[in-house]
Amino acid sequence: MVRLEPRRGRLILHLARRKFDWVIETRYWRNPTIGFLIWLLLPIVIYYFASLIGLKPVALLSTLISANILAMICIPLTLQIIGTGRVNFGPHFFVAIGGYVAALLSKNFDVHPALTLFTAFAFGCLIGLALSPITIISKGLYFVLITLLLPFILWEFVYWRSDIFGAETGIPGVELLFWTGDLITDLMYYFYLSFIITFVLLLISDRVLRSRYGFLMGVINEDEEIAATYGTNVNRIKIITFTLTSGAIAIAGWFLAHYQGSFTGPAWLTPAFLVIILLTTTLGGKGAIYGIVISSYVIAILREVTRTTLGEFSTVALFTILLIFLYLLPEGFWGLYRKKRYREYAPSIRIRRREVT
Amino acid sequence: MLKVENLTKRFGGIIAVNDVSFEIEKGEIVGLIGPNGAGKSTLINLISGFYKPDKGKIVFEGKDITKIEMFKRAKLGIARTFQNSRIVSNMTALMNVLYAIIGRENGENISLHEAYVESIYYLDLFGLLKKRDILASDLPIYELRLLELARALALRPKILLIDEALAGLNPVEAENVSKLINRIKEEFNLTIIWVEHVLKVLMRSVERVLVMHYGKLIADSTPAEVVRNQQVIDAYIGEEAV
Amino acid sequence: MDPTIALVYTFVFGSLYLGMALGFTIIAGVLRIFNLAYGALFLVAAYSVWFFWKDVGLTFGISLILAFIPVAAFAAFTYLAVVRPFIRTEDYMLAALICVFIIVEEIINYFYPEIVGVYLPTKVAEGTVKIGTASVPGQMLFAAAVSLTMIVIYLLFFIKTKTGLIMRAISQDPYASKIVGVNFDKMFVISMVIASIPPAMIIILIAPVWALDPFVGWSLFSYAIIVTVLGGLGNLKGTIIAAYIIGFINATVGFLIDPRMMLFSSLVITVAVLVVKPKGLARAESIW
């Protein structure tokens, strides 16, 4: 029994015994819904728009995919930063772990992508679990340093055993996820896959942050000792958070490997990629996971625009623009949107240090 | 209820707490006083688990808790407040109480909604209900002290360690806070150890006073006797002479 | 392996790493920040010399001296433009500092890509020097000696001069030094500038033996990071010990196992030490 009932200012949909109402008046529209719809329809709109004015949509679509990949890395990273109270400067290490696991398994043992996804996640978790004691032992800058050194270690290791990891040439011959013969269709599939992954990560993170555990994570982010004084098992929450989010970051590496058909660690283990990840998280807003989607799109599009228009000078231009953003938007893009709404709790991300002034 | 035996804590060459032993019965309200640097806060930190003692034993309700972690002590029923009221300033007043409730229940046995309702109860108890949505960083110091007590109570403690609840308050506010402390002690059947510098108010509120000086316990009796104790007088006069 | 070789190379590597890390340690010690743009100083120094020498057309000697002006200016700029605005939000600061490093790297790569073939003829000692059974390139030995001299000069600076004393005071207790009226900005700029001299000296001296390209900054910088971190973030005593430990590791690993594993093994050992001793080798969080 489906019935549509128009009322003043709203539309009510009766579905069997349940009611769904949709407010017509624009100021009551829910922004997440609008954002979700825009995000969902973006590639299709771009595709038709591009074909209308005779542009090739390939570059546009791959930019959107790289934005999704960026969001895929930054959403778990934000969760991790909140839950451990420490800023991880080695997220690309976990991306590379996931990428290498997926690529090696797929190339050498012909493992199905679904299985490599699981393995990449599990392996990322495992490495995260092995490294999780550092979230308890070291604080502030020291944690930053250890995590900053991790990608360097992997980099050196990859070059040392280049017979396995292929160093700069990478590991070719990874099974592609979609192979229809039409590049645009493939890219559409890739976009929607990355979209689904990102969206699921976003939903999970949102749920977690709104839950009781998310609340405790927020307190840990603010003041660990207080959290412990009031009965929170800080170490357990930190270890669980670090482990699971490390695995989630490794999923991005899995996607990269199967999207490009090869995985080249040294291309991702660079400080430049680290800066892009970090700035996506910070420009997203302080601990705001929705802001990350916005900032990853802004940064990915910016990267593509500078790359196509400025050529050799593009990196300089990109990083200068990002630096200017950092000066002008200390609260991030999300901060612009919700300037006055302090009632909703937003944990701040910062590195705790001895006060100087 | 709480028994401390030969507790010793060193920081480098300094002995902050030196061979301190005492026992506190259920339902007592005990003042802990002493000149600056006497080791009062260190003692509180040792009992609540901030520091690990170098020597000695802490027994709570017949259970040795010397080596137990901080969060487990909180679950056993030891709550504390902080000298400079360490309230999470980035959160609202309500949330500051909320996390104590969620932490107390391990985050498992209580829904977020129930925790909200309960924290409103504790805020109301201290007259902070109207301020529930104000960021803690915007609250005046008097309300911060109350909020801290509310947060500590939300843990449903058996023993409450108060570290300078009156510092920085004017006499009227100090009087209010001390009355509140006595009220919650009766209402919640608490045992309280209260470290304070404002002796006048403290002496009127407590039944028993421990006096520390240079890490050692130099007196343990009623307020009336303590003020006549020569050692205590010397300790305080010594401080003023410096 | 001959113990003489191990000893000699431990000394040479250790002293070089010490020189690379010296400025970084000073910044970490005095400012209590982690200057991730430090690696750019190597590049600024080397390419400024080339710029003055080839593009402006000055003599090589004058270019060498003039090169310290852009280096100092860059150090001061880093403090005023990046460190000071973000002193309270350290994650922003670190990200911004890496940003600056990458920008400098890319600008230099734009104007002087590797095919330009930048080289600095600063060879003082020709050939190799034989010490017992070990033979070391003379230039490396010279650079090691210069870097040791620099350490001594800096130690004297910190112990004997008033500015050095103030810097030590800041590193020990920033709050107390604020009370007695230390001008933080001035002191921080000065320490950033004096900290920029050692990396410039080192890169100029080792340029003939080390391949120079626009991305050399990170590999030198990674040694500076390792040594400083292992030494305990801005403690000179710890840094000296750590530099020779890393030098020893590199000498033994390089000669015994595989030269490719030198950086890898020192990184692994550093992280392992940090997990056991989270604050590095040195005990105190002060500069000396």
Side-chain angles (χ1 to χ4, degrees):
Chain A
M1 175 68 187
V2 183
R3 192 162 55 89
L4 211 59
E5 183 191 348
R7 286 254 184 100
R8 194 163 62 102
R10 65 175 58 206
L11 206 64
I12 299 172
L13 176 74
H14 294 273
L15 196 89
R17 287 198 169 174
R18 301 182 65 182
K19 272 203 306 190
F20 300 94
D21 58 336
W22 176 259
V23 181
I24 296 171
E25 204 172 332
T26 37
R27 64 180 163 145
Y28 292 120
W29 285 6
R30 287 169 60 84
N31 288 344
T33 324
I34 300 169
F36 175 76
L37 284 176
I38 292 174
W39 196 10
L40 191 71
L41 298 176
L42 199 60
I44 298 169
V45 171
I46 279 180
Y47 177 70
Y48 282 107
F49 220 69
S51 56
L52 220 67
I53 53 175
L55 258 173
K56 288 221 161 141
V58 175
L60 289 167
L61 281 176
S62 51
T63 309
L64 298 186
I65 294 172
S66 65
N68 278 348
I69 293 171
L70 210 52
M72 235 187 265
I73 299 166
C74 294
I75 292 168
L77 180 65
T78 306
L79 201 60
Q80 185 184 78
I81 293 171
I82 294 171
T84 57
R86 288 158 170 77
V87 181
N88 185 350
F89 268 58
H92 47 327
F93 170 76
F94 291 101
V95 176
I97 294 274
Y100 274 124
V101 168
L104 286 174
L105 283 178
S106 180
K107 182 200 165 202
N108 296 338
F109 305 102
D110 256 338
V111 180
H112 190 267
L115 206 59
T116 56
L117 169 66
F118 175 74
T119 330
F121 176 72
F123 207 74
C125 286
L126 209 66
I127 300 270
L129 183 64
L131 291 172
S132 62
I134 58 174
T135 60
I136 297 162
I137 298 164
S138 55
K139 281 181 184 155
L141 264 188
Y142 295 96
F143 184 80
V144 168
L145 296 177
I146 295 182
T147 47
L148 189 68
L149 290 178
L150 292 176
F152 280 105
I153 294 180
L154 190 60
W155 171 289
E156 289 294 322
F157 187 72
V158 164
Y159 270 89
W160 174 43
R161 296 311 304 269
S162 52
D163 49 328
I164 301 172
F165 296 101
E168 276 149 350
T169 47
I171 304 168
V174 182
E175 192 187 335
L176 288 168
L177 291 172
F178 306 109
W179 188 247
T180 54
D182 179 30
L183 191 56
I184 301 289
T185 320
D186 281 350
L187 283 177
M188 282 285 184
Y189 282 140
Y190 277 117
F191 174 83
Y192 281 107
L193 179 67
S194 59
F195 170 79
I196 290 167
I197 296 175
T198 316
F199 193 70
V200 167
L201 286 175
L202 196 64
L203 274 187
I204 294 173
S205 309
D206 188 56
R207 261 303 148 80
V208 169
L209 281 178
R210 280 169 199 271
S211 74
R212 290 159 290 181
Y213 282 102
F215 195 71
L216 293 180
M217 280 159 72
V219 185
I220 289 174
N221 181 42
E222 294 291 337
D223 193 332
E224 256 170 53
E225 285 177 342
I226 288 289
T229 316
Y230 288 95
T232 309
N233 191 343
V234 174
N235 292 352
R236 200 183 68 175
I237 290 187
K238 280 199 287 195
I239 288 176
I240 291 174
T241 314
F242 193 77
T243 307
L244 291 181
T245 49
S246 300
I249 294 174
I251 291 176
W254 168 84
F255 184 82
L256 271 172
H258 285 286
Y259 164 54
Q260 300 184 328
S262 72
F263 190 79
T264 317
W268 304 105
L269 288 168
T270 56
F273 190 51
L274 166 68
V275 171
I276 290 195
I277 294 174
L278 285 179
L279 290 185
T280 311
T281 38
T282 45
L283 288 179
K286 297 211 161 201
I289 46 167
Y290 292 110
I292 283 165
V293 179
I294 301 169
S295 65
S296 58
Y297 270 79
V298 171
I299 287 177
I301 289 168
L302 231 121
R303 187 166 58 176
E304 185 62 24
V305 168
T306 49
R307 200 174 60 82
T308 47
T309 55
L310 291 169
E312 274 182 67
F313 217 64
S314 61
T315 323
V316 179
L318 174 65
F319 284 98
T320 315
I321 294 170
L322 292 180
L323 204 57
I324 292 168
F325 272 152
L326 210 53
Y327 281 107
L328 298 183
L329 298 172
E331 292 288 316
F333 296 120
W334 198 246
L336 288 178
Y337 165 68
R338 50 191 286 160
K339 227 166 195 171
K340 291 283 167 195
R341 304 177 62 192
Y342 63 84
R343 272 174 64 171
E344 277 171 56
Y345 168 63
S348 68
I349 291 174
R350 59 199 162 106
I351 300 165
R352 253 134 272 274
R353 66 202 295 259
R354 215 169 63 175
E355 279 292 304
V356 174
T357 42
Chain B
M1 178 164 192
L2 181 79
K3 207 162 111 190
V4 170
E5 289 173 14
N6 308 92
L7 210 59
T8 303
K9 176 71 188 173
R10 285 189 193 83
F11 292 114
I14 303 156
I15 306 176
V17 173
N18 190 0
D19 202 23
V20 169
S21 306
F22 60 88
E23 198 168 339
I24 287 170
E25 296 301 324
K26 194 166 171 51
E28 265 189 307
I29 174 161
V30 180
L32 178 58
I33 62 169
N36 273 332
K40 308 177 298 280
S41 288
T42 311
L43 189 61
I44 295 285
N45 282 334
L46 285 169
I47 297 170
S48 64
F50 252 60
Y51 302 141
K52 295 266 169 287
D54 294 322
K55 222 178 75 191
K57 235 164 86 172
I58 305 165
V59 180
F60 180 66
E61 294 191 313
K63 194 176 166 194
D64 186 355
I65 58 162
T66 319
K67 291 201 169 65
I68 284 184
E69 287 164 83
M70 203 151 47
F71 77 95
K72 282 186 186 151
R73 295 191 200 197
K75 294 230 161 73
L76 283 176
I78 300 179
R80 66 166 294 180
T81 70
F82 290 87
Q83 208 165 8
N84 35 11
S85 40
R86 281 173 70 173
I87 293 281
V88 177
S89 55
N90 211 6
M91 290 183 167
T92 61
L94 184 121
M95 281 164 172
N96 268 295
V97 180
L98 195 61
Y99 65 72
I101 294 169
I102 297 172
R104 178 193 78 201
E105 301 290 344
N106 246 340
E108 280 154 12
N109 310 326
I110 193 165
S111 77
L112 206 50
H113 183 73
E114 285 165 347
Y116 264 115
V117 174
E118 201 181 328
S119 43
I120 281 174
Y121 165 72
Y122 285 113
L123 284 176
D124 193 26
L125 203 66
F126 287 89
L128 289 170
L129 197 52
K130 280 184 185 161
K131 309 265 182 175
R132 64 180 181 276
D133 285 335
I134 292 180
L135 279 187
S137 52
D138 297 340
L139 288 175
I141 187 159
Y142 172 62
E143 277 160 359
L144 281 180
R145 302 270 185 224
L146 294 183
L147 180 58
E148 216 186 356
L149 285 171
R151 179 176 71 176
L153 262 194
L155 211 55
R156 284 192 197 152
K158 291 170 184 147
I159 186 163
L160 180 59
L161 314 173
I162 300 174
D163 199 349
E164 303 215 4
L166 309 182
L169 301 183
N170 68 35
V172 180
E173 291 168 344
E175 197 61 44
N176 278 343
V177 171
S178 86
K179 267 185 198 150
L180 257 173
I181 289 174
N182 272 298
R183 208 187 101 202
I184 58 172
K185 178 198 165 264
E186 295 305 322
E187 244 173 71
F188 292 87
N189 204 6
L190 287 175
T191 311
I192 291 178
I193 301 181
W194 187 356
V195 174
E196 197 56 67
H197 258 302
V198 188
L199 297 185
K200 219 168 97 190
V201 183
L202 182 83
M203 289 302 197
R204 264 187 278 132
S205 321
V206 301
E207 299 148 358
R208 184 179 150 200
V209 180
L210 304 173
V211 188
M212 281 182 84
H213 186 44
Y214 287 129
K216 273 194 180 295
L217 204 61
I218 55 169
D220 177 359
S221 52
T222 59
E225 278 173 47
V226 159
V227 291
R228 287 196 298 271
N229 186 320
Q230 194 54 45
Q231 251 183 310
V232 177
I233 294 166
D234 285 349
Y236 271 90
I237 288 172
E239 189 199 26
E240 265 150 44
V242 175
Chain C
M1 189 176 72
D2 201 315
T4 339
I5 298 178
L7 260 174
V8 169
Y9 272 92
T10 302
F11 169 72
V12 171
F13 283 152
S15 309
L16 283 180
Y17 298 154
L18 188 53
M20 290 171 196
L22 180 58
F24 196 55
T25 306
I26 291 171
I27 296 170
V30 179
L31 276 76
R32 292 269 149 232
I33 60 149
F34 210 60
N35 183 8
L36 291 179
Y38 180 79
L41 287 169
F42 294 108
L43 301 172
V44 173
Y47 286 86
S48 303
V49 176
W50 177 263
F51 171 76
F52 285 124
W53 183 35
K54 289 287 177 185
D55 292 355
V56 180
L58 301 170
T59 62
F60 187 66
I62 294 174
S63 316
L64 275 184
I65 296 161
L66 279 183
F68 283 91
I69 296 170
V71 169
F74 176 73
F77 166 81
T78 317
Y79 175 71
L80 294 174
V82 184
V83 175
R84 201 174 57 174
F86 295 124
I87 194 99
R88 285 185 168 277
T89 45
E90 200 151 10
D91 51 339
Y92 284 30
M93 188 211 293
L94 294 175
L97 284 170
I98 307 181
C99 243
V100 168
F101 187 178
I102 292 169
I103 290 171
V104 169
E105 212 173 52
E106 288 294 328
I107 288 175
I108 285 173
N109 188 34
Y110 183 74
F111 288 109
Y112 305 107
E114 212 175 341
I115 45 164
V116 172
V118 174
Y119 68 96
L120 302 178
T122 45
K123 225 170 179 96
V124 182
E126 289 290 334
T128 55
V129 180
K130 268 205 163 325
I131 304 168
T133 49
S135 57
V136 197
Q139 183 72 13
M140 293 271 263
L141 213 57
F142 178 69
V146 169
S147 113
L148 272 189
T149 325
M150 271 194 307
I151 299 286
V152 174
I153 292 171
Y154 273 91
L155 283 184
L156 285 178
F157 167 77
F158 278 115
I159 295 167
K160 298 280 181 194
T161 66
K162 189 158 169 274
T163 320
L165 184 76
I166 295 172
M167 281 177 186
R168 276 191 295 152
I170 293 176
S171 87
Q172 251 164 23
D173 195 337
Y175 184 66
S177 25
K178 183 120 190 164
I179 288 174
V180 296
V182 169
N183 184 344
F184 266 68
D185 269 349
K186 193 175 132 203
M187 277 301 145
F188 283 174
V189 171
I190 292 175
S191 37
M192 286 290 275
V193 170
I194 63 163
S196 67
I197 298 168
M201 291 288 278
I202 291 289
I203 186 78
I204 286 169
L205 285 175
I206 63 170
V209 274
W210 217 284
L212 208 58
D213 66 70
F215 300 102
V216 76
W218 272 106
S219 59
L220 296 174
F221 181 42
S222 55
Y223 278 112
I225 296 183
I226 294 173
V227 168
T228 306
V229 170
L230 191 61
L233 268 201
N235 180 291
L236 281 173
K237 281 176 199 158
T239 307
I240 293 170
I241 299 166
Y244 287 102
I245 289 175
I246 297 291
F248 176 73
I249 292 165
N250 279 0
T252 44
V253 170
F255 282 95
L256 275 184
I257 305 167
D258 185 354
R260 266 245 59 106
M261 275 184 67
M262 276 162 61
L263 188 54
F264 175 69
S265 52
S266 24
L267 279 165
V268 170
I269 286 169
T270 306
V271 170
V273 169
L274 279 188
V275 169
V276 182
K277 276 181 81 97
K279 301 224 159 164
L281 293 172
R283 266 184 308 149
E285 268 203 20
S286 62
I287 196 153
W288 180 249

